[in-house]
Amino acid sequence: MGSHPNTLPTPVTAAGRAGLAALLQRPGESVVALDFDGTLAPIVADPERARAHPRAVPALARLAPALGSVAVITGRPAEAAVRHGGFAGVSGLDHLVVLGHYGAERWEAADGTVSAPPPHPGVAAVREELPGVLERTGAGDGTWVEDKGRSVAVHTRRAAAPQAVFELLREPLRELAERHGLLVEPGRMVLELRPPGVDKGLALTGHVRDTGAGVVLYAGDDLGDLAAYDAVEQLRSEGVAGLLVCSAAASGEGAEELARRADVVVDGPAGVAGLLAALADALPPSAG
């Protein structure tokens, strides 16, 4: 960063320009909410190796004291996101909230605890049946299962033909999920079987209402973030100023849809980190 301030982008929509202006004018009434994988952390083949971009957490820690609230909203378990993000014990992030499993779990930096309802019983049933389903479909080498506790994700990124295997598995996994009262959430070369009634949009809306915020920024990169985009647009219709940011690190159905709807498109997690740093430059910690 040096001594040169980061440059804030100009949103391409009038609603986005109003959202950015409101955030700069009323930071203490603002929520900044961010997805984790693909937004704060680069996408990697093994989710266990994902780490927040090296500039992201320092920028967020500079920005957070000026804001009403900062939240990370992710499909990961909350504790996993905290661990991979390196969020715990960071000065400036004392009031960070991580909403894991699409909002079913809540971690608060203030006390380091996770609160959550009991797991959906369908997850255990799916966990037991999934190996047989994968074997019958002939998904092949490279397909692997990530057990998230409250959901189960099937990754095809390591397969010889990732997209073909992804398409092959869509219908069998939808049938399996439906049989046990779950939904399938598609992402980048991953199909996640999870309980209904939780998504990033519901999590974001609940957090904005809980904090009484009048301004919300949401940044995401994939299909799972569309619900949060919908939530921001609904909140705008209710008088909350909103700014939609797309972390466009890769192509794909979700990324292209987000980029089309976004007010600001940045170049992946490095671009998100730059945007957070630019906001921090524009909002000294004494603001709000």
Side-chain angles (χ1 to χ4, degrees), residues 40-213:
L40 286 174
I43 294 286
V44 291
D46 180 358
E48 281 301 305
R49 292 173 135 356
R51 295 293 181 271
H53 188 280
R55 295 200 302 274
V57 174
L60 201 54
R62 284 204 300 125
L63 175 61
L67 301 172
S69 175
V70 173
V72 174
I73 305 179
T74 175
R76 283 182 182 263
E79 285 182 329
V82 172
R83 187 171 69 251
H84 293 297
F87 300 132
V90 176
S91 177
L93 295 183
D94 324 71
H95 301 293
L96 175 71
V97 174
V98 176
L99 303 175
H101 280 301
Y102 304 93
E105 290 185 345
R106 181 185 180 94
W107 176 88
E108 307 227 20
D111 58 13
T113 61
V114 174
S115 55
H120 189 289
V123 176
V126 160
R127 186 181 293 123
E128 190 172 321
E129 290 184 36
L130 193 53
V133 172
L134 294 178
E135 187 176 347
R136 286 194 298 276
T137 58
D141 295 339
T143 301
W144 64 283
V145 176
E146 179 188 9
D147 191 337
K148 297 185 176 185
R150 292 175 176 273
S151 65
V152 181
V154 179
H155 294 261
T156 68
R157 189 179 301 277
R158 299 178 191 166
Q163 186 65 41
V165 177
F166 179 89
E167 296 300 338
L168 176 72
L169 288 174
R170 267 186 187 261
E171 189 57 23
L173 293 186
R174 186 197 64 76
E175 290 175 0
L176 174 63
E178 196 172 83
R179 200 158 65 244
H180 296 291
L182 304 183
L183 302 172
V184 174
E185 177 80 50
R188 288 186 192 166
M189 301 305 115
V190 60
L191 293 155
E192 183 168 348
L193 292 77
R194 63 174 179 81
V198 289
D199 65 37
K200 291 181 181 180
L202 294 170
L204 179 60
T205 299
H207 188 64
V208 168
R209 296 207 197 292
D210 287 347
T211 57

Side-chain angles (χ1 to χ4, degrees), residues 250-257:
S251 62
E253 182 185 347
E256 288 160 11
E257 173 72 2

